[in-house]
Amino acid sequence: AVVSTQSGHYGRGSQDNRVKVRIILSDEPMLETFRKTIDSHDEDWYFPREMCSELHISPLLLSKITSAFKINIANKNGSGTTPINIGLNIKYANKSLMAPDYARKIDNGGWQYSEALYTIIKEYVVKFPELFKELEHHLKKETINASEIAQKLGPEFNVRQYFEDVKKWLKSLSTHNSKLVGVGSEIMSTKHVAQLLADIAEHKKTVSVHELVVKVKPRVLFNPNFQNGVLPPDAKADFQLCDRVVNVCSSHCVPFGYKGTIVGIKNGEIQSADAIKYEVLFDEPFIGGLSYGECNSHLYTMLPFTLMNFSYGMRLTQPQSERTIPKPKRKKNRLRLCVDNTA
């Protein structure tokens, strides 16, 4: 029961405990085909020993070269040395960080590397073969000096220019300044994000929008202004990659009601309510939006209480067995399969 505060009916009661709301309905894009496209690329990941066998390098060198790998080079004035980083910086095992386009940690605790990284390291080995050959003899040392490598390459070897060339080449790679996320995070690759935005734009050309007026009980409505920005619209909702969501928070730069797609699920290093965050690629650009690959001003990192999940609502209408999207089994690669935890 409710009581009216409107003039003319002030203080009058009513037994109707429902409210009338106007709902705007529009078709959401069907992303099942897109999900399958992403899943089909799961075979492009390799175990460390597979790559080592193809590249003819040791697992320890692979492990070091994919992280930060520093070598000391003598200063020009002859006083002391300066460390230079010749690593690709796509994973930091001790910090539980990884670049999701190039490395990932699997259930048994080992690492896998993408085909894109395999191509980069192969080019690295071909371009600087003498470096990789000499590094194999110094991997167990606490510090490696460039002069030790130069001694094996003859008196005419210009060690300073050589490592300047290495640094310059590393900066030209797509791995340079790669975005790092917590181990266990699920992040969509930049090439798939560009395709997703194109599919969404194509869907908007044919989408139909209509309104519906219904009476509902107040308890089924979510008003973010009454929740102080900390309670989720539905605490039971689960979020998956490619889920369609809408922003229900009016207190930050993403406009209220903007729709988007989850392209990343980022795990924090500590267990807390804010440990998991979602990277959402919104359908429309907005001021303050971040860039992801070639997509400008569409991306933002969101907390669970700022989102309502359309896809979760659709899954509730499905049989229980179909609600969770199974992860595909890893197919055989062109490289020899060999489980490994060393790199």
Side-chain angles (χ1 to χ4, degrees):
V2 295
V3 177
S4 173
T5 59
Q6 183 179 5
S7 177
H9 307 287
Y10 195 88
R12 305 292 183 179
S14 171
Q15 296 300 314
D16 188 353
N17 61 350
R18 295 174 180 264
V19 295
K20 186 182 292 186
V21 296
R22 180 168 58 92
I23 299 176
I24 300 175
L25 299 174
S26 62
D27 298 327
E28 289 300 315
M30 301 300 293
L31 298 178
E32 292 308 310
T33 301
F34 184 75
R35 289 181 194 267
K36 292 177 182 178
T37 299
I38 295 177
D39 292 344
S40 67
H41 284 74
D42 192 61
E43 61 182 307
D44 297 332
W45 290 84
Y46 309 119
F47 289 108
R49 286 200 178 274
E50 297 177 282
M51 293 180 65
C52 291
S53 177
E54 288 285 312
L55 299 171
H56 305 292
I57 62 175
S58 67
L60 182 55
L61 179 53
L62 176 65
S63 178
K64 287 180 175 291
I65 209 70
T66 52
S67 187
F69 190 10
K70 295 182 179 180
I71 292 181
N72 294 325
I73 187 167
N75 295 326
K76 289 183 178 180
N77 60 11
S79 175
T81 60
T82 300
I84 61 170
N85 186 3
I86 62 168
L88 295 169
N89 305 294
I90 54 90
K91 71 170 176 61
Y92 293 90
N94 57 336
K95 297 180 180 179
S96 297
L97 294 174
M98 65 181 188
D101 281 351
Y102 303 105
R104 69 181 183 185
K105 211 164 191 180
I106 52 178
D107 293 340
N108 69 357
W111 288 94
Q112 283 185 322
Y113 300 113
S114 68
E115 186 170 17
L117 183 70
Y118 168 79
T119 302
I120 289 172
I121 298 179
K122 183 177 181 180
E123 185 179 354
Y124 199 171
V125 173
V126 170
K127 196 171 184 66
F128 303 100
E130 53 282 315
L131 174 62
F132 279 80
K133 181 180 178 180
E134 291 304 318
L135 285 175
E136 292 285 7
H137 304 297
H138 302 276
L139 293 177
K140 295 185 178 181
K141 297 179 179 179
E142 290 188 9
T143 58
I144 301 176
N145 294 315
S147 58
E148 295 175 311
I149 296 175
Q151 288 174 0
K152 299 288 186 178
L153 300 176
E156 297 181 357
F157 181 74
N158 189 334
V159 63
R160 183 173 298 280
Q161 184 59 51
Y162 184 85
F163 282 102
E164 284 297 326
D165 292 342
V166 172
K167 287 172 58 180
K168 183 178 179 180
W169 181 78
L170 289 173
K171 287 182 179 180
S172 71
L173 299 175
S174 58
T175 51
H176 183 61
N177 289 334
S178 294
K179 180 175 65 173
L180 300 175
V181 299
V183 166
S185 301
E186 297 180 70
I187 306 292
M188 193 181 297
S189 69
T190 51
K191 63 180 179 181
H192 288 138
V193 168
Q195 181 60 50
L196 172 64
L197 202 59
D199 290 351
I200 296 296
E202 193 65 28
H203 168 78
K204 287 191 293 186
K205 295 178 181 178
T206 59
V207 67
S208 60
V209 179
H210 59 280
E211 297 181 359
L212 181 66
V213 177
V214 297
K215 282 187 174 183
V216 298
K217 294 181 179 181
R219 62 181 175 82
V220 303
L221 299 176
F222 176 79
N223 188 333
N225 295 324
F226 295 161
Q227 309 300 335
N228 296 321
V230 293
L231 295 179
D234 187 347
K236 300 186 297 296
D238 69 291
F239 292 81
Q240 301 175 15
L241 218 58
C242 293
D243 275 358
R244 292 286 294 166
V245 295
V246 60
N247 173 41
V248 295
C249 180
S250 57
S251 61
H252 60 65
C253 68
V254 181
F256 180 85
Y258 259 38
K259 296 180 181 179
T261 308
I262 292 180
V263 296
I265 302 175
K266 300 167 67 175
N267 289 336
E269 295 183 19
I270 58 174
Q271 298 297 320
S272 69
D274 296 340
I276 297 180
K277 299 178 181 179
Y278 303 103
E279 287 199 334
V280 180
L281 187 76
F282 288 95
D283 299 348
E284 304 289 343
F286 55 93
I287 297 175
L290 306 176
S291 298
Y292 197 168
E294 298 178 358
C295 308
N296 296 321
S297 304
H298 283 263
L299 188 77
Y300 210 78
T301 301
M302 310 289 287
L303 292 171
F305 63 77
T306 65
L307 298 173
M308 181 164 276
N309 192 335
F310 288 129
S311 299
Y312 170 75
M314 295 173 64
R315 287 195 289 270
L316 291 179
T317 64
Q318 300 173 345
Q320 185 70 34
S321 59
E322 299 179 10
R323 292 184 185 180
T324 301
I325 300 173
K327 294 184 177 180
K329 293 182 179 180
R330 184 174 183 266
K331 301 176 183 179
K332 277 194 173 184
N333 301 318
R334 59 182 176 81
L335 301 179
R336 179 175 54 85
L337 292 180
C338 177
V339 177
D340 179 75
N341 296 330
T342 59

